[in-house]
Amino acid sequence: MNIFDRFIQSKRADGRAPRTIEDYQRVLGRYAEHVTGDETTWTRDTARAYVAGLRRTHWQPATVGLHIRYLRAFWHWLYTEGITAEDLSQAVAAPKQHIREESLLTTAEFARLVAACAGDRWAVRDRAILLMLADTGMRRSEFCAVERDWLTIEDNGDGPESWLMLPGSVTKDRKPRFVLMGVTTTTALIAYLETRTDDHPACLLYTS
């Protein structure tokens, strides 16, 4: 097991989320292609040179920042494990937080997007997907993992409403949480489920 695999194993033992592990593997995979020799020979100068190279790429600042943050964690781990004589993470400053400006859809634009869900056999499903994402703010990875058994629908006389219980195994912070859906979204979801010919609990919405 090489030094990178050992680090990944330590992060899995720490209980890091699968997506975080994938990010570490991607960052360190690129780094592994650019370093040579025994890791005990790595220096602050080589660490700075690598990060300087990252800053010369055409990547977005947030992407560069993620690489720096994960590299610093790796370099600090090398030091705490006694693999390097100095803490290379101190050679590079922690990345600044970049707030990404989002271009949000207007109400009219979103309405047109929902209205476009028509004319094919997936229209009812696509409308339910759009409304669910807008109502809940779920991440893509969370949404794609949703199982049918996580859904609860109730009607107290004012129209059906629903919620999902997302377990910690699919959330970014590994903590379970509830997401709520209003009457419009729940009605769309019921309409879609009525078109389903199966009752498989492991799939709320087919996405392909």
Side-chain angles (χ1 to χ4, degrees), residues 172-202:
K172 185 175 182 179
D173 59 5
R174 312 289 287 180
K175 296 179 181 178
R177 76 173 191 277
F178 287 94
V179 292
L180 306 177
M181 293 174 285
V183 174
T184 301
T185 298
T186 304
T187 301
L189 183 55
I190 292 172
Y192 164 69
L193 291 176
E194 288 177 347
T195 70
R196 291 277 293 272
T197 57
D198 70 282
D199 58 358
H200 200 292

